[in-house]
Amino acid sequence: MTAHIATDQAVLVGTPVVAGVAHAPVMWPGARPALPGPGTPPADVEAECERFSRAATAVADRLRSRASAATGVASEVLSATAALAEDRGWVGAAQKEIRAGAPAPNAAVAATEQFAAVFTKLGGLMAERVTDLHDVRDRVLAELAGEPEPGISLPDHPVVLCADDLAPADTSGLDPAVVTALVTRLGGPTSHTAIIARQLGIPCIVAVHGLEAVAAGTPVMVDGATGRITIAPDPAVADAEVQRSRHAAAEVARWAGPGRTADGKEVAILANVQDGASARSATDHPVAGIGLFRTELAFLDRASEPSLDEQTTLYREVIEAFSGSAEPAKIVIRTLDAGSDKPLAFVDAGAEANPALGVRGLRVATAHPELLEHQLDAIAAAARQSGTTPWVMAPMVATAAEARGFAAAVRDRGLVAGVMIEVPSAALLAPAILAEVDFVSIGTNDLTQYTMAADRMSADLATLTDPWQPAVLALINTVASAGAVAGKPVGVCGEAAADPLLACVLVGMGVTSLSSAPAAAAAVGAAVGGVTLAACRAAADAVLATADPADARAAATAALHA
Ligand code: PEP
Ligand code: MG
């Protein structure tokens, strides 16, 4: 990520998260509360412990009441932050500090530091929660000082909200009429800022180096599709860009499926879900079914393996969410992808030096074959009860032998067998893998991480963890071509499938379905519907001739609009 100076305009570049163009002055959130200096030990430690608990409870109560007033992801994020404020471990750590002589504010800071260090060490999704922890700390500090809760007080005119990273409690209540775009210096495409921006449909760019140099009040144009922030742009040009993007957004809003190119090549546009509720809400979007049901996410809070009945009920709920569709919906269920950034308490891989390269996904079944057997039995039972035949795929498959073993277990139960292509070895051996299964689905998040040897959660490596990296595109092309030769479906279910421009390239390579967050479906469907298969193929050829993500994006745009 570099800052370029173009004549009299500066352009900063970050990782694009939500498309759309905004033109407004920059606003930075107010300062967070000052951290306390060394204080005097409390005279009555028990009273001080009580004062701390009251402050933490008040903060949790306020967050919870905001959660019940909010909906969807915003509500979930606020509830999760409220739970952090009441976390027994965190409150206990602070009380221990108080009993050792620290005043309550210092105890809040010390307990937060302990937890932040642990979260950071765990990495992945847990590391992304450090921003939430600091937010809870600041709210408790304000409560202890009798000050108003820190947060963003928005002006009455449109702004582009810039920040190092935004706390979920700040982002969840934002009014898109005032906050026209979100831009952060830190954070990755999966941070809370990104998740909320997607839900609100606000243009969003993360991991922007050099952002801190842009002063409050500076007019900027934010292009959430390209990740470019133009500082002090020509106002007429910027306003025209905003109009163009609004027009494109209106086209997207009108798109209702089915997925096909302008000349009729069918491409299934599907949703990624994690439980019955998200599957039901996916039906509000123009999707033809579920391309990825991340089963492990339904069990993140489980201490022990859910029973066969419980699992059957859950899988049935997801399968039946789409039972009202005119056409039988496609439902793709992924078996547990436990490990690494998604640890499950009942799947203990032990301490690993490199969890992303460790015992995760299908590899867990080597030590715990019963977990996979039970899960497949429950999926088969749900399929029988609902009279459907879901497709079932395994995550983190690296060899053809793994694909063969998994396919046998799935077919034994009368289900359709597939695997995810997330490991470069599987992409390179796509013909051999496809010979073993009925379909494959490319997980571009992990395929990018492993191809580029770059942690998908690292904001510092966002340029490498970009699915437009030509090495990643070459592997996707290998898989899609192998699928065409074998005459078997090749889906994409990583975040790449949410990028409308990249979606056209993927279709040109031969990908047959695109599955992503349901909110992205209409934009992807409209983009694919606006171009011919020949243009998609030309875009695919064009990107394969590049050696740089920016060149690949430019080549695809040029080929599609030639
Ligand atoms: C992927 O890796 O692209 C994928 C879809 O799986 P997950 O994001 O759950 O690892
Ligand atoms: Mg994956």
Side-chain angles (χ1 to χ4, degrees), residues 250-260 267 269 286-287 521-530:
E251 293 268 290
V252 165
R254 274 195 295 276
W255 192 81
R260 56 167 69 112
V267 182
I269 307 291
V287 292
V524 169
V528 171

Side-chain angles (χ1 to χ4, degrees), residues 288-337:
I290 293 169
L292 168 63
F293 170 16
R294 289 181 164 103
T295 55
E296 67 284 352
L297 296 188
F299 302 135
L300 283 180
D301 58 349
R302 301 300 301 257
S304 56
E305 183 193 2
S307 71
L308 199 70
D309 280 352
E310 259 181 292
Q311 292 196 48
T312 306
T313 305
L314 170 72
Y315 305 146
R316 197 172 156 185
E317 232 190 294
V318 171
I319 292 170
E320 293 184 352
F322 276 81
S323 57
S325 321
E327 305 270 315
K330 179 165 170 181
I331 309 286
V332 185
I333 303 177
R334 176 172 77 183
T335 54
L336 291 179
D337 186 18

Side-chain angles (χ1 to χ4, degrees), residues 272 292 294 296-297 334 337 341-342 360 393 395 420-422 441-448 450 456 492-496 515:
N272 291 354
L292 168 63
R294 289 181 164 103
E296 67 284 352
L297 296 188
R334 176 172 77 183
D337 186 18
D341 56 337
K342 291 173 286 195
R360 59 169 294 198
M393 64 183 181
M420 290 191 69
I421 306 284
E422 309 184 274
S441 184
I442 307 174
T444 46
N445 306 334
D446 277 316
L447 184 60
T448 306
Y450 296 126
R456 63 194 261 188
V492 169
C493 64
E495 286 302 302
S515 189

